[in-house]
Amino acid sequence: MLILAIESSCDDTAAAVLEPENRVRSSVVSSQNEIHARFGGIVPELASRRHIEMIRPVVDEALAQAGVGLDDIDLIAATRGPGLVGSLLVGFTFAKALALVRGLPCVGVDHMAGHLLSCLLENPQPAFPYTALIVSGGNTSLFAVDDPLTFTRLGRTRDDAAGEAFDKVAKLLGLGYPGGPAISHLAADGDPAAIAFPRARLGEDSLDFSFSGLKTSVAAHVDGQRRSGAPLAVADICASFQEAVVDVLADKTLAAAERTGHRRVVLGGGVAANPRLRAVLAERCAARGFKLFLPAPALCTDNAAMIGLAGYYRFLAGQLAAADTDAYSRSPLN
Ligand code: KG4
């Protein structure tokens, strides 16, 4: 069986061709970073217009790289939500229309489900059940994953997502968009203990997150330094901010795994590409006897391969999309 998968939930137009269970034949991602960089964040209207321009070439490229044509495709999977509705509608409508004219089954996939299963595209794969931290520009949530269709949310951010905090702090420091890679790069030369930024624990038993106080604290620090005329120690600010985010993410993930009793921990989402988060989680999981599964950075950030895999399981369960199935902006999983 060959699956054509499409992802357009935010600012990347992506398509992939894969064979279940875990053979990715091609995975193409067209980034819009240069369009949104000067605004310091994503402009939804510009994102959906760019998806319209890119969807066809990206799908063609994914088919070409896989060495197949539309005649070889057996199933079409596309992200149905959550995300920017204008962006989602481009990919999802394209997928449904293509399925309709080709007489193929089509499945609508939850973007979060894609992130939760992306580690299954790696070798070795984690066995079920596992505890997963999904941390991106739009989400920061912990889940218990019992099987490819059963996800139970254990905690989530009460305000900003961790990636959003990276992006906002980067904007404050004039580092451009997306902020995560720029901050993690600069943080490598900074002192993580230079500035004691706050960690929001939200109570002993809480598996929720909060990053807006941290963001405000960085803004107050930067403002204070600028007012006093002192030079900004940008690398130290980046390292100290990153450490505060990573510390809380790692702590809560380990607490979630202790609570579920799972021995396997999985990471997903764009911020999962952060080298410091990967290193700290690896260290703490090893110390507590958990096995950690880290997808390659290209599978952490938005991609269509993970949507194809999640779509395959929905297809097996008979959960097909109809021509009038709508996109949604908020995930029922979250
Ligand atoms: O999953 P993703 O590609 O898109 C969604 O938000 O769904 O994640 C993008 C987010 C952005 O906020 C970006 O700043 C962050 O992931 N990110 C990182 C790193 N690479 C990407 N954050 C921290 N460190 C990184 N190395």
Side-chain angles (χ1 to χ4, degrees):
M1 174 183 236
L2 267 189
I3 305 164
L4 170 65
I6 292 171
E7 149 64 34
S8 70
S9 63
C10 194
D11 62 336
D12 292 317
T13 320
V17 174
L18 65 156
E19 291 166 33
E21 302 275 338
N22 67 348
R23 206 167 155 239
V24 181
R25 298 268 293 258
S26 67
S27 181
V28 177
V29 181
S30 168
S31 162
Q32 299 184 0
N33 283 350
E34 81 287 358
I35 293 175
H36 304 287
R38 68 195 164 103
F39 301 104
I42 296 160
V43 182
E45 184 61 26
L46 295 181
S48 45
R49 286 184 197 189
R50 186 68 175 157
H51 282 305
I52 292 171
E53 289 166 2
M54 294 311 296
I55 188 76
R56 183 72 202 266
V58 166
V59 167
D60 285 348
E61 182 62 23
L63 291 168
Q65 283 188 17
V68 300
L70 274 177
D71 285 344
D72 303 308
I73 298 297
D74 304 295
L75 171 68
I76 299 181
T79 308
R80 185 181 168 197
L84 302 171
V85 165
S87 291
L88 285 161
L89 281 174
V90 177
F92 193 40
T93 309
F94 185 91
K96 287 187 297 176
L98 196 57
L100 200 64
V101 295
R102 306 290 305 191
L104 292 172
C106 181
V107 281
V109 177
D110 192 284
H111 184 80
M112 295 292 283
H115 280 307
L116 285 163
L117 300 178
S118 64
C119 54
L120 299 177
L121 293 165
E122 294 284 24
N123 235 329
Q125 300 181 324
F128 295 103
Y130 53 78
T131 297
L133 169 69
I134 302 305
V135 60
S136 70
N139 298 285
T140 300
S141 300
L142 283 159
F143 287 89
V145 181
D146 289 327
D147 61 52
L149 294 170
T150 313
F151 317 107
T152 309
R153 200 192 72 226
L154 306 168
R156 67 174 164 186
T157 183
R158 294 186 186 173
D159 40 57
D160 292 347
E164 197 177 350
F166 269 94
D167 294 336
K168 286 177 177 169
V169 166
K171 188 173 181 180
L172 201 75
L173 296 170
L175 300 177
Y177 175 85
I183 289 185
S184 63
H185 184 69
L186 285 164
D189 296 323
D191 174 5
I195 308 144
F197 288 130
R199 276 96 165 130
R201 307 278 178 200
L202 305 174
E204 276 283 283
D205 296 333
S206 177
L207 293 176
D208 282 349
F209 301 93
S210 168
F211 295 106
S212 68
L214 170 60
K215 179 192 65 192
T216 307
S217 175
V218 176
H221 175 83
V222 169
D223 197 41
Q225 294 294 102
R226 283 187 177 140
R227 274 173 205 272
S228 73
L232 269 189
V234 175
D236 283 348
I237 295 172
C238 289
S240 302
F241 160 76
Q242 176 178 267
E243 202 64 12
V245 175
V246 166
D247 200 17
V248 176
L249 289 175
D251 258 16
K252 300 251 173 184
T253 304
L254 275 272
E258 301 277 7
R259 196 174 297 179
T260 57
H262 299 157
R263 304 315 299 164
R264 288 165 292 272
V265 172
V266 159
L267 194 56
V271 182
N274 183 278
R276 182 69 187 146
L277 176 60
R278 295 168 84 90
V280 169
L281 261 182
E283 197 180 294
R284 294 195 197 172
C285 281
R288 302 242 210 126
F290 294 113
K291 189 152 172 43
L292 178 66
F293 294 83
L294 296 170
L299 285 172
C300 293
T301 45
D302 287 351
N303 67 89
M306 65 180 191
I307 301 301
L309 183 68
Y312 170 65
Y313 291 115
R314 284 187 77 87
F315 169 74
L316 291 184
Q319 298 172 0
L320 298 184
D324 62 352
T325 303
D326 213 351
Y328 53 77
S329 62
R330 285 179 175 269
S331 174
L333 301 178
N334 207 22

